[in-house]
Amino acid sequence: MATNDLKLLGGWFSPFACRVQIALSIKGLDYENIVENLNLKSDLLLQSNPTYKKIPVLIHGEKTICESAIIVQYIDEVWKNNGTSSILPSNAYDKAIARFWVSYIDDKFFNSLRYGLFAQDDESKKKYFEELEEVLLKLEEVFNELSEGKEFFGGENIGFIDVAFGCYLSWLRVKEKFTGTKKFDEAKNPGLVKWAEAFSAHPAVKGILPETDKLVEYAIALAQRLAAAAAADAAPPK
Amino acid sequence: MEDIKVFGLWSSPFSQRVVWTLKLKGVSYEYYDEDLANKSNLLLQYNPIYKKVPVLVHNGKPISESMVIVQYIDETWPQIPLLPQDAYERAKARFWSKFIEEKSMQMMEFFLYDGERQERAIKETLDILRVIENESGLSEKMFICGNTIGLADIALGWVAHTLPVMEEIVGVKFITIDAFPHLHSWVKNFLEIPVIKNNLPPHEKLVEYFRERRKVFLAMASHHHHH
């Protein structure tokens, strides 16, 4: 039984759930990890997150906290003084910059990646992956600026942007397998290439990001379900 | 001596969030109203990513995205706090703030269209308002997540005075006392806050502005239809 009375309703396939796992790992916290089946969501999930019915949800005693970025901030604040490093920067300006980029990543990066991966036609795929390339060029700049020569967006320690962006690495590896192009172009994104290695090797991250082959299988099944749903929507009514 | 600049647009709900927050905290600033068809060089320099207002520049350092700015102001000037002290209450306030922020553009979509598309958009706005009405705790508290104005209220504020302008132009009414009793009270309470009441763009001017915008939106929508 977890001593902190922490439960995570998540899933190994979800980059958002991984963020929470990494945050808990940074803070050295034990928790019960409950993997949800998104095709058959548990009553606990539906009750804990009635607004979105989505993972991750952190259950801390009687309290339920939803939305990965908000959960990470909650963990960072509650266990602020337990001797582990902070996830968010300490000053207000750096916090604002971190929140801005996490928001940008969850919007621009995430949407071009997922629409690209699951687009039904080649023209759309091409368009989304081109957008993705532009976003990565921007993030390369951001990394160079914020890391100040250190390993992470957060500097010496992994921070909010690292945790948020890093959890997409497995899905970028899925894109690699699907498309045959590397997740980061070594010529255009040399900083991100090094960062990805450092992030994946970090002790708080090890074992949390799913293996690529397992995620590829998951992605293929998901793509099939999405294609079937799209076909059902498009079919003329009988 | 603090140097605070705000680049905004008098009619923009997102700009207003920043102005209200600064005024609530009694923070002085220089305000630059932007003509979005002709963006100033300063704006483009300070917000190269989105090229949008609002942007706050504090001692030369720019921040964009209205709710990121609002949280920054709240953390930098702690008087009249917009977030509770307790971490869990803070998480709830952030959750609702995020929900409202994410859904705001969608809630305004009914204003961009007419016909069937507008019907669908009206329904979506009602669905979103219903979630806020029933799930955000307004039945127990005067404001979202508390008895004083907070982050989520600032995010939703546009609903109290810009939404009625859009409703007037289109001929719909969303927040009636029968359909949304809690939101109806919330609107009244929000508008009674002196700082808010004294910092609303003039109603007639806003109506004129949005009437023109609606013409533009409808022209764009029909252009995309290829009859």
Side-chain angles (χ1 to χ4, degrees):
Chain A
M1 185 167 117
T3 50
N4 290 300
D5 201 3
L6 285 167
K7 279 193 190 52
L8 170 63
L9 305 182
W12 56 268
F13 44 82
S14 160
F16 307 107
C18 286
R19 290 172 176 181
V20 179
Q21 288 183 271
I22 292 173
L24 290 164
S25 172
I26 292 170
K27 291 303 200 178
L29 301 168
D30 288 325
Y31 59 100
E32 190 189 335
N33 192 23
I34 299 170
V35 177
E36 286 282 336
N37 174 355
L38 297 186
N39 295 313
L40 193 64
K41 294 176 179 177
S42 70
D43 284 339
L44 183 57
L45 174 58
L46 298 175
Q47 281 156 24
S48 309
N49 191 355
T51 307
Y52 288 115
K53 303 178 178 52
K54 282 187 177 171
I55 57 168
V57 178
L58 184 73
I59 304 178
H60 182 200
E62 307 263 298
K63 305 170 187 174
T64 60
I65 302 109
C66 308
E67 290 294 287
S68 63
I70 293 173
I71 299 172
V72 169
Q73 289 184 79
Y74 175 82
I75 292 168
D76 201 37
E77 286 169 14
V78 172
W79 286 278
K80 200 183 177 50
N81 295 313
N82 76 344
T84 56
S85 60
S86 290
I87 302 171
L88 267 85
S90 47
N91 83 59
Y93 184 72
D94 293 337
K95 266 200 225 181
I97 297 303
R99 285 181 181 133
F100 175 88
W101 288 113
V102 169
S103 187
Y104 172 87
I105 287 163
D106 281 347
D107 175 16
K108 302 285 180 205
F109 171 82
F110 178 48
N111 284 322
S112 14
L113 178 62
R114 70 159 158 168
Y115 292 139
L117 276 176
F118 299 110
Q120 301 294 321
D121 62 289
D122 286 337
E123 204 186 300
S124 299
K125 260 198 200 319
K126 187 165 176 286
K127 180 185 90 156
Y128 287 121
F129 286 150
E130 272 167 16
E131 272 173 32
L132 185 63
E133 261 185 67
E134 276 173 41
V135 169
L136 290 178
L137 278 176
K138 175 42 69 177
L139 290 173
E140 174 80 14
E141 259 180 57
V142 175
F143 174 73
N144 290 331
E145 197 189 311
L146 296 181
S147 63
E148 293 181 339
K150 311 247 168 60
E151 284 193 302
F152 303 109
F153 285 88
E156 267 167 25
N157 294 319
I158 57 176
F160 196 41
I161 301 174
D162 300 286
V163 174
F165 188 35
C167 290
Y168 287 118
L169 284 172
S170 322
W171 278 95
L172 276 174
R173 291 184 199 122
V174 167
K175 175 190 172 270
E176 224 170 61
K177 292 269 168 152
F178 276 20
T179 63
T181 55
K182 299 225 122 236
K183 66 177 185 292
F184 294 130
D185 183 317
E186 299 205 355
K188 295 181 189 164
N189 306 122
L192 291 179
V193 169
K194 292 229 287 280
W195 166 79
E197 278 167 27
F199 182 81
S200 304
H202 192 284
V205 175
K206 268 191 159 320
I208 292 174
L209 295 184
E211 279 165 33
T212 309
D213 291 336
K214 197 174 171 200
L215 196 58
V216 165
E217 244 179 74
Y218 179 89
I220 291 171
L222 179 58
Q224 283 168 354
R225 271 203 304 277
L226 289 171
D233 282 343
K238 298 231 166 95
Chain B
M1 186 53 205
E2 302 275 22
D3 174 32
I4 302 163
K5 291 181 171 60
V6 172
F7 294 85
L9 177 61
W10 66 274
S11 54
S12 154
F14 311 114
S15 270
Q16 276 148 29
R17 290 167 174 165
V18 175
V19 167
W20 288 333
T21 305
L22 288 166
K23 296 265 184 197
L24 275 165
K25 289 168 180 279
V27 177
S28 317
Y29 59 97
E30 279 165 47
Y31 177 77
Y32 299 85
D33 208 69
E34 285 290 324
D35 167 7
L36 292 183
N38 218 355
K39 293 173 187 181
S40 72
N41 287 330
L42 270 183
L43 173 63
L44 295 176
Q45 181 194 331
Y46 285 129
N47 191 1
I49 297 291
Y50 293 118
K51 304 178 178 50
K52 280 185 188 171
V53 291
V55 179
L56 177 87
V57 186
H58 185 199
N59 296 332
K61 293 164 135 189
I63 303 165
S64 43
E65 288 297 286
S66 62
M67 293 314 293
V68 171
I69 298 171
V70 170
Q71 276 198 85
Y72 172 79
I73 297 168
D74 195 46
E75 285 164 9
T76 306
W77 291 280
Q79 64 274 24
I80 318 288
L82 295 179
L83 279 175
Q85 291 284 28
D86 177 71
Y88 178 54
E89 295 299 320
R90 262 210 298 283
K92 282 198 283 190
R94 283 183 177 135
F95 176 89
W96 285 107
S97 176
K98 183 168 195 235
F99 177 84
I100 290 161
E101 192 192 349
E102 267 173 18
K103 302 291 183 187
S104 284
M105 292 299 297
Q106 206 182 338
M107 280 196 264
M108 293 186 222
E109 268 191 33
F110 75 94
F111 192 69
L112 307 181
Y113 304 114
D114 52 13
E116 207 184 291
R117 220 166 153 187
Q118 187 187 52
E119 290 299 316
R120 282 204 301 273
I122 288 173
K123 191 186 168 297
E124 276 173 21
T125 301
L126 286 168
D127 287 343
I128 294 166
L129 288 171
R130 209 159 284 127
V131 172
I132 301 169
E133 172 81 10
N134 296 328
E135 297 177 31
S136 69
L138 273 180
S139 53
E140 292 127 42
K141 306 222 165 101
M142 249 177 89
F143 295 100
I144 305 171
C145 305
N147 284 315
T148 54
I149 186 174
L151 200 70
D153 305 293
I154 296 282
L156 191 63
W158 69 273
V159 159
H161 81 101
T162 305
L163 182 63
V165 167
M166 295 177 173
E167 288 172 327
E168 190 181 312
I169 294 167
V170 159
V172 296
K173 182 91 187 110
F174 290 107
I175 302 177
T176 60
I177 195 167
D178 292 325
F180 298 101
H182 303 130
L183 274 169
H184 194 263
S185 295
W186 175 85
V187 167
K188 273 223 195 108
N189 294 331
F190 184 81
L191 292 175
E192 261 159 30
I193 298 169
V195 164
I196 304 295
K197 192 156 63 169
N198 296 326
N199 286 288
L200 296 174
H203 182 84
E204 281 316 311
K205 201 175 167 203
L206 212 55
V207 170
E208 201 189 301
Y209 175 87
F210 276 105
R211 226 189 269 284
E212 285 310 305
R213 294 302 296 155
R214 176 145 169 88
K215 288 188 197 149
V216 172
F217 294 141
L218 289 180
M220 274 165 41
S222 68
H223 179 78
H224 286 141
H225 261 127
H226 306 299
H227 288 292

